[in-house]
Amino acid sequence: MNNFINISDLSKNDLRSIIDSAKKRKSERGKKPHSEPDADQPLKGKTMIMIFEKTSTRTRISFDLAVKQLGGSSIILNQDEIHYGKGDETIKDTAKVLSQYANILMIRTDSHNNVEEFKKYLDIPIINGLTNHGHPCQVMSDILTFEELKGDIKNKTIAWIGDGNNVSNSFIEAATKFEFKLKIASPKKYHPDADVIKIAKKNKCELLITEDPYKAASNADCIMTDKWISMSDKGDKKKKKKILKKYQVNNNIMQAAKPDAIFMHCLPASREEEVTSEVMDGKQSVVWLQAFNRIHAQKSIIEWCMK
Ligand code: CP
Ligand code: NVA
């Protein structure tokens, strides 16, 4: 059994095999209806429990469909419906109980430590469905989407423009493993986690951190951004938005990238803040395919965890 908590925990080979098997399973499935299982049903008779301490549209639905397509069943729990979420049962005791009811756990939580703590006491695999520190499932499915449209991501250039947040942390980890170039433009105050940057540089990741959005966008194969205010953000939101204003992804930024560059956003988006509607609804935008591919990448992540 394997846990999927940080991209940096996995070997290059395992990460590549997850992407390649997602491509294979997606193409073999063809146009089957969303809830119909794949022929081999590798998760038949098995259950995934999902705990959401934070809101979610895509992760919740795409994991549910992923489990169904693998032939298994899922139970979705919100924070206020369970003792652990309400604070009257420990992670240790919850983990011991869940291990007897299910075959795999997915959790979305504010505290990355909670995921690590669950891992200590679970007898079943755990998947990180977003923490304050990372969003590895999103990044794996974005790599799947990128490669579907633009081929091997190795040596390609991805530009991240805006807040240095959980998703950008996972992208930095992915850049080291998948060997793509990553240029991040954000104000100094909102750079991604210093530890993540330090490890990437030690591992010879081709990473540029700049305060200039045009320098990051220049010659990129893909422009990415995310909300300026993440679910776990606690500071002065108005002030943060003001500082990030010059990092909006608009047509000027898109024009600095390669003419055939794609635009990606993990969603949900705050239109006219981090991205204009013109870009989000424009010809270069692939945001809807990104959301769809969450199903396919996560099927592959689940299968890898169950090995
Ligand atoms: N991108 C993403 O994880 O979306 P949700 O918050 O809707 O799950
Ligand atoms: N950075 C965002 C991603 C949402 C999918 C957040 O953490 O809220």
Side-chain angles (χ1 to χ4, degrees):
M1 102 179 190
N2 294 302
N3 298 305
F4 188 80
I5 298 178
N6 305 292
I7 300 260
S8 57
D9 299 338
L10 278 74
S11 69
K12 284 184 183 179
N13 279 347
D14 280 351
L15 290 162
R16 174 46 62 194
S17 79
I18 290 173
I19 297 293
D20 289 348
S21 92
K23 285 180 191 167
K24 187 163 177 273
R25 215 172 242 293
K26 184 178 174 186
S27 101
E28 280 171 2
R29 187 176 167 80
K31 295 217 175 313
K32 269 193 178 180
H34 290 320
S35 293
E36 206 173 292
D38 291 346
D40 57 343
Q41 300 198 42
L43 222 63
K44 194 168 182 201
K46 303 221 158 73
T47 305
M48 170 181 255
I49 290 181
M50 293 184 238
I51 298 178
F52 285 94
E53 294 181 32
K54 303 258 126 204
T55 46
S56 165
T57 301
R58 281 144 287 266
T59 306
R60 179 183 301 254
I61 300 168
S62 59
F63 261 111
D64 190 47
L65 287 171
V67 171
K68 277 201 178 82
Q69 291 185 8
L70 293 173
S73 59
S74 63
I75 299 170
I76 301 175
L77 303 166
N78 294 321
Q79 183 170 24
D80 60 353
E81 293 167 336
I82 49 172
H83 290 283
Y84 150 70
K86 288 185 141 187
D88 61 8
E89 189 166 27
T90 61
I91 287 182
K92 179 177 173 177
D93 295 352
T94 308
K96 288 197 167 290
V97 171
L98 295 184
S99 296
Q100 300 184 80
Y101 291 146
N103 305 91
I104 183 162
L105 173 69
M106 196 280 319
I107 182 163
R108 168 169 287 195
T109 168
D110 241 359
S111 164
H112 200 72
N113 291 341
N114 286 353
V115 181
E116 298 288 352
E117 185 77 359
F118 261 110
K119 181 183 91 173
K120 271 206 287 203
Y121 302 110
L122 281 171
D123 299 323
I124 57 174
I126 184 167
I127 295 177
N128 173 0
L130 182 146
T131 68
N132 56 323
H133 177 74
H135 196 1
C137 293
Q138 180 69 51
V139 169
M140 290 300 279
S141 69
D142 290 351
I143 289 169
L144 172 65
T145 303
F146 182 93
E147 292 204 340
E148 253 184 42
L149 300 166
K150 312 286 293 175
D152 194 347
I153 198 164
K154 188 172 174 176
N155 294 326
K156 299 281 194 327
T157 303
I158 311 293
W160 176 278
I161 294 172
D163 188 26
N165 63 10
N166 46 2
V167 182
S168 71
N169 287 339
S170 294
F171 261 108
I172 295 174
E173 294 182 0
T176 305
K177 298 283 184 176
F178 286 93
E179 297 173 47
F180 57 85
K181 296 172 193 150
L182 183 60
K183 300 197 278 179
I184 296 183
S186 59
K188 223 181 195 116
K189 195 170 159 52
Y190 300 116
H191 278 176
D193 283 10
D195 286 353
V196 176
I197 295 174
K198 203 168 139 193
I199 293 168
K201 293 207 161 145
K202 209 175 111 196
N203 288 324
K204 311 223 168 346
C205 175
E206 275 202 69
L207 175 66
L208 171 81
I209 310 274
T210 172
E211 290 189 75
D212 180 352
Y214 286 93
K215 196 170 170 188
S218 139
N219 218 28
D221 296 286
C222 171
I223 302 283
M224 274 185 193
T225 190
D226 188 9
K227 263 186 191 292
W228 289 339
I229 309 294
S230 278
M231 289 182 274
S232 60
D233 269 347
K234 304 236 159 32
D236 183 339
K237 295 178 184 160
K238 243 183 158 169
K239 192 171 149 207
K240 187 173 180 186
K241 285 186 184 180
K242 208 169 148 201
I243 295 172
L244 278 158
K245 228 171 173 155
K246 75 166 188 173
Y247 296 85
Q248 182 189 66
V249 177
N250 50 32
N251 278 343
N252 293 336
I253 291 282
M254 290 307 295
Q255 271 158 24
K258 284 188 180 160
D260 62 347
I262 52 174
F263 168 72
M264 287 182 139
H265 190 312
C266 64
L267 305 181
S270 295
R271 286 170 179 257
E272 312 312 333
E273 289 188 2
E274 76 275 6
V275 59
T276 58
S277 280
E278 222 174 354
V279 169
M280 190 150 141
D281 299 326
K283 281 209 288 268
Q284 288 163 283
S285 171
V286 300
V287 298
W288 314 122
L289 180 62
Q290 272 181 273
F292 179 65
N293 272 340
R294 294 289 301 277
I295 304 170
H296 298 288
Q298 286 158 192
K299 283 168 76 175
S300 201
I301 291 168
I302 294 168
E303 275 203 282
W304 178 80
C305 285
M306 300 294 289
K307 268 187 193 163

